[in-house]
Amino acid sequence: MQADLLTLSSMGCYPLSVVTAITVQDSVGVEDILALDAELVSAQARAVLEDMPVAAFKIGMLGSVENIAVIAEIVADYPDVPLIIDPVLASGRGDELASEEMLEAMLDMLIPQATIITPNSLEARRLGQYDSDEELDFSECAKRLVELGCEYVLVTGTHENTPQVVNTLYGEHGVLRADAWQRLPGSYHGSGCTLASALAASIAHGLDVADAVREAQEYTWQTLRAGFRPGMGQYIPDRLFWAREEESD
């Protein structure tokens, strides 16, 4: 939530928050999760949506199957609002954040409504190979997800053993763009949330998906390059890096 708020605000948006779960976490990892009651999640969302127009939806950790169901119902009432899904299945340390039942519910109810989803390579394999005994490459995994109904899939390559981080955007006709970024040392807490929120901000500002993907990657890479380590765990992306640069100048 903090990653979303800082990123969206930094990119000139006014974020409206709907809390789906409370976590016990620090820069090392996630220790515990308490999913909020689905009726409360629905009430939060309906309250803000009845009050203000919304330019984009960004969805992250969902907490429960029941939350997925009510969120799917809500976004279905706003088919013209772009839906950006960061399918948070595990923390950067590997802490499990989504059960198999939640994964199935996402595939059935939410991903078919998505404008774009932003899985890392591990999440792309888990989502794309669901109900399959085959080992599929990223393009096949993305193809299966697009066939479910989502328009675009951006697979990020931070977890791959490659000299550079390669992020690939897939659409109905395959690869639309692939961007290579310098692999930075260390690991980061909240980089996926930052990317998805930056993408939501860029789409909210009116960019088409391909341009929004490029803009969001550039912003995210800059936050990582300026990252800092305030605790005993991972580095934190500096979503206000541009303010520090102005101070330096």
Side-chain angles (χ1 to χ4, degrees):
M1 185 66 72
Q2 287 174 271
D4 293 345
L5 293 171
L6 283 166
T7 300
L8 290 161
S9 298
S10 177
M11 296 188 71
C13 293
Y14 182 68
L16 305 171
S17 303
V18 174
V19 180
T20 55
I22 299 169
T23 65
V24 178
Q25 66 173 301
D26 55 17
S27 62
V28 178
V30 179
E31 301 299 332
D32 202 0
I33 301 169
L34 174 65
L36 296 189
D37 184 83
E39 290 186 8
L40 184 59
V41 173
S42 178
Q44 291 178 77
R46 294 296 185 189
V48 295
L49 288 167
E50 289 168 10
D51 184 38
M52 292 180 241
V54 171
F57 292 126
K58 184 270 179 184
I59 292 175
M61 191 182 75
L62 296 163
S64 69
V65 171
E66 293 77 13
N67 284 350
I68 292 170
V70 298
I71 291 168
E73 182 180 334
I74 290 165
V75 297
D77 290 340
Y78 298 85
D80 295 330
V81 178
L83 173 60
I84 297 88
I85 298 177
D86 177 15
V88 182
L89 306 183
S91 73
R93 185 176 65 175
D95 309 295
E96 191 74 13
L97 302 177
S99 65
E100 288 302 304
E101 291 78 14
M102 290 173 62
L103 183 66
E104 184 176 0
M106 288 174 64
L107 289 165
D108 286 344
M109 292 186 276
L110 269 181
I111 287 177
Q113 300 189 64
T115 305
I116 183 168
I117 65 173
T118 62
N120 61 40
S121 56
L122 304 179
E123 293 163 340
R125 289 189 183 100
R126 189 172 168 191
L127 289 165
Q129 293 176 178
Y130 188 79
D131 268 352
S132 174
D133 296 327
E134 299 180 62
E135 283 287 330
L136 304 176
D137 61 22
F138 292 143
S139 61
E140 285 299 315
C141 289
K143 181 180 178 183
R144 291 191 74 188
L145 294 170
V146 169
E147 286 172 351
L148 287 177
C150 76
E151 295 179 51
Y152 302 95
V153 179
L154 176 63
V155 179
T156 60
T158 52
H159 289 81
E160 297 303 291
N161 186 22
T162 54
Q164 293 181 300
V165 174
V166 180
N167 301 329
T168 308
L169 177 65
Y170 299 89
E172 182 182 3
H173 302 295
V175 176
L176 296 178
R177 67 179 302 144
D179 299 289
W181 299 89
Q182 177 188 346
R183 186 175 290 279
L184 298 167
S187 61
Y188 297 83
H189 191 67
S191 56
C193 304
T194 302
L195 176 63
S197 292
L199 183 53
S202 299
I203 290 174
H205 283 309
L207 295 182
D208 63 36
V209 169
D211 288 339
V213 164
R214 175 68 192 188
E215 183 76 12
Q217 289 180 88
E218 174 66 31
Y219 172 85
T220 302
W221 191 85
Q222 294 294 346
T223 70
L224 299 178
R225 185 174 65 90
F228 58 102
R229 190 169 181 252
M232 295 181 288
Q234 297 173 297
Y235 283 79
I236 307 297
D238 185 359
R239 288 103 185 175
L240 298 175
F241 67 90
W242 49 268
R244 328 287 181 210
E245 291 175 353
E246 289 177 3
E247 289 171 4
S248 297
D249 292 343

